[in-house]
């Protein structure tokens, strides 16, 4: 399936899908968006908003998808982008800067968790093993 | 296997472009750009392995147009205008211009990053009084908490593993020497257990450092212009060779 063109085109495509196909798209959406090439990254927040608007009855389901598949991160990134834009408009806006830093810090926590999850060994474990040996030799 | 240092330091020379893909859509330059910049963000120096595993196709690394597409659409597919950049740098800049009245963005292919930036506590700080560097730092938000957090995590993880590889063999020898010298069976059991711990630490350290290979597992084996696949000097000279 190609995601290209404006939101209206996507909405029409969605409307043409059978309920089962829609459900499948809903299920696959998270994994799908995170596998998109960088060229389509900007499209993700729009898709996200569109899906929420198209299937408002599935808000609870969306929350679960967002929480489990990292779509909350997409929203967070969009907020960060908006904060940058606000700051570009007025570089002296301290409140906007504080807001940006707070959002980035929230995102940093998610990123560090992801970083840790890609490590083959838990951080600190190697040092602990070596400490045990050092203590023994004392 | 080439392994990254705990901290990737700024280049001591401008990054010399070696790839020469025929002009086409800029998106087709990705393979050349990844090798050209050593899988690092050209601006904040975050390496792909710091962002994750097999990041190609995830959107975490992107192509940054030094002269923005909005202001210079004619340079959109110009290879020399394209840089490998992390999503954070790309997102931070937006459409802001490369030049204002009194300041200009620094281009890593014409400016020596080490002359303009210093690494201090996982931050890439502009040299004091260097207005172009300060502008570049601000435009790309080089020290947003996400970047400094990832640099710190990368440094701490690798440092821990490297220290184990350095210290482990010596500790093992000391433990074995004491095992030979002692006749106390309880002490020998304790020493043997400690020796096992060192062995495990070494095995884990080897696995951990391999996670930070300078050439990611998903690196393209061929690029658009068939230039020899090698890391840029600023990356290769900082890496250390590791063989199992």
């Amino acid at each position: 399936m190609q995601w290209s063109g404006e939101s209206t085109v996507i909405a029409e495509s969605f409307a043409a899908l059978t309920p089962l196909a829609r459900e499948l798209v809903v299920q696959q959406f998270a994994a799908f968006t995170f596998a998109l090439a960088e060229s389509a990254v900007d499209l993700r927040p729009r898709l996200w908003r569109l899906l929420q608007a198209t299937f408002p009855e599935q808000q609870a389901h969306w929350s679960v998808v967002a929480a489990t598949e990292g779509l909350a991160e997409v929203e967070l990134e969009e907020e960060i982008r908006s904060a940058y834009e606000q700051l570009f408009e007025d570089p002296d806006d301290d409140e906007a800067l504080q807001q940006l830093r707070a959002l980035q810090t929230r995102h940093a926590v998610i990123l560090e968790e992801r970083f840790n999850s890609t490590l083959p060994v838990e951080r600190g474990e190697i040092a602990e093993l070596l400490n045990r040996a050092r203590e023994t030799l004392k | 296997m080439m392994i990254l240092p705990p901290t990737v330091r700024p280049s001591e020379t401008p990054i010399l472009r070696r790839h020469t893909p025929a002009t086409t859509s800029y998106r087709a330059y990705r393979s050349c750009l990844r090798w050209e910049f050593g899988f690092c963000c050209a601006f904040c120096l975050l390496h792909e392995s710091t962002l994750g595993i097999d990041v190609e196709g995830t959107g975490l690394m992107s192509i940054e147009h030094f002269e923005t597409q909005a202001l210079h659409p004619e340079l959109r597919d110009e290879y020399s205008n394209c840089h490998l950049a992390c999503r954070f740098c790309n997102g931070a800049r937006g459409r802001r211009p490369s030049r204002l009245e009194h300041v200009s963005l620094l281009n890593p292919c014409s400016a020596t990053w080490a002359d303009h930036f210093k690494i201090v506590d996982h931050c890439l700080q502009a040299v004091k009084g260097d207005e172009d560097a300060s502008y570049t730092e601000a435009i790309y938000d080089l020290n947003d908490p996400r970047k400094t957090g990832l640099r710190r995590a990368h440094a701490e993880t690798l440092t821990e593993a490297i220290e184990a590889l350095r210290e482990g063999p010596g500790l093992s020898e000391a433990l074995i020497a004491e095992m030979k010298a002692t006749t106390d069976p309880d002490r020998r059991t304790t020493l043997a257990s400690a020796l096992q711990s060192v062995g495990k630490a070494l095995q884990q350290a080897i696995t951990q450092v391999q996670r930070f290979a300078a050439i990611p597992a998903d690196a393209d084996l061929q690029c658009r212009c068939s230039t020899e696949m090698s890391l840029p000097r600023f990356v290769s000279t900082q890496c250390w060779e590791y063989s199992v």
Side-chain angles (χ1 to χ4, degrees), chain B residues 97-109:
Chain B
S98 61
R99 277 172 220 86
L100 291 180
E101 204 174 332
H102 300 296
V103 286
S104 298
L105 268 187
L106 293 170
N107 185 332
C109 294

Side-chain angles (χ1 to χ4, degrees), chain B residues 28-43:
Chain B
Y29 300 151
R30 284 190 73 92
S31 53
C32 292
L33 289 169
R34 287 178 84 204
W35 282 100
E36 196 84 273
F37 292 97
F39 307 93
C40 290
C41 173
F43 303 95

Side-chain angles (χ1 to χ4, degrees), chain B:
Chain B
M1 181 184 277
M2 302 276 273
I3 305 292
L4 292 168
T7 300
V8 177
R9 304 213 160 264
S11 178
E12 302 280 343
T13 59
I15 297 172
L16 176 71
R17 285 190 188 252
R18 301 159 295 153
H19 290 249
T20 53
T23 301
T24 179
S25 165
Y26 75 89
R27 292 193 180 96
Y29 300 151
R30 284 190 73 92
S31 53
C32 292
L33 289 169
R34 287 178 84 204
W35 282 100
E36 196 84 273
F37 292 97
F39 307 93
C40 290
C41 173
F43 303 95
C44 75
L45 311 181
L46 277 183
H47 186 271
E48 287 186 12
S49 71
T50 310
L51 292 164
I53 296 173
D54 296 343
V55 303
E56 183 65 350
T58 62
L60 286 168
M61 294 298 270
S62 59
I63 296 176
E64 162 72 354
H65 289 85
F66 192 76
E67 301 295 348
T68 63
Q69 296 184 69
L71 294 174
H72 293 275
E74 76 282 5
L75 296 177
R76 174 189 160 99
D77 295 326
E78 179 67 42
Y79 182 69
S80 62
N81 190 39
C82 297
H83 294 67
L84 187 70
C86 69
R87 188 159 88 203
F88 312 130
C89 279
N90 198 318
R93 182 177 172 189
R95 295 177 174 187
R96 285 186 289 178
S98 61
R99 277 172 220 86
L100 291 180
E101 204 174 332
H102 300 296
V103 286
S104 298
L105 268 187
L106 293 170
N107 185 332
C109 294
S110 53
T112 297
W113 233 232
D115 289 347
H116 298 281
F117 300 99
K118 303 291 172 210
I119 295 268
V120 181
D121 197 20
H122 309 298
C123 290
L124 196 56
Q125 289 182 351
V127 168
K128 271 189 183 172
D130 186 333
E131 291 187 4
D132 287 347
S134 296
Y135 181 60
T136 306
E137 183 184 338
I139 289 286
Y140 286 110
D141 203 359
L142 295 180
N143 298 305
D144 102 31
R146 298 174 294 180
K147 296 172 187 171
T148 52
L150 285 168
R151 286 188 199 117
R152 181 182 43 76
H154 169 120
E156 287 176 1
T157 306
L158 256 177
T159 301
E160 184 189 24
I162 292 168
E163 278 178 7
L165 291 176
R166 283 190 186 137
E167 195 186 347
L171 267 177
S172 298
E173 281 176 22
L175 287 163
I176 291 167
E178 197 178 329
M179 275 174 83
K180 283 180 181 169
T182 186
T183 52
D184 179 351
D186 289 343
R187 179 64 181 158
R188 285 178 75 100
T189 305
T190 306
L191 290 166
S193 170
L195 194 56
Q196 277 185 332
S197 293
V198 176
K200 194 174 173 190
L202 284 169
Q203 278 181 340
Q204 292 189 343
I206 290 167
T207 313
Q208 199 81 299
V209 296
Q210 288 173 339
R211 159 74 178 69
F212 295 96
I215 301 172
D218 65 354
D220 307 86
L221 299 176
Q222 273 197 318
C223 71
R224 196 79 189 172
C225 62
S226 303
T227 296
E228 186 195 348
M229 301 297 172
S230 60
L231 294 169
R233 208 176 129 65
F234 102 90
V235 176
S236 64
T237 51
Q238 296 188 53
C239 290
W240 49 292
E241 187 68 39
Y242 174 74
S243 56
V244 180

Side-chain angles (χ1 to χ4, degrees), chain A residues 112-133:
Chain A
E112 188 157 347
E113 279 174 12
R114 187 189 295 156
F115 174 89
N116 288 336
S117 73
T118 65
L119 293 175
V121 181
E122 206 169 306
R123 280 162 76 184
E125 200 178 331
I126 296 171
E128 199 180 308
L129 286 165
L130 284 184
N131 271 338
R132 205 179 299 165

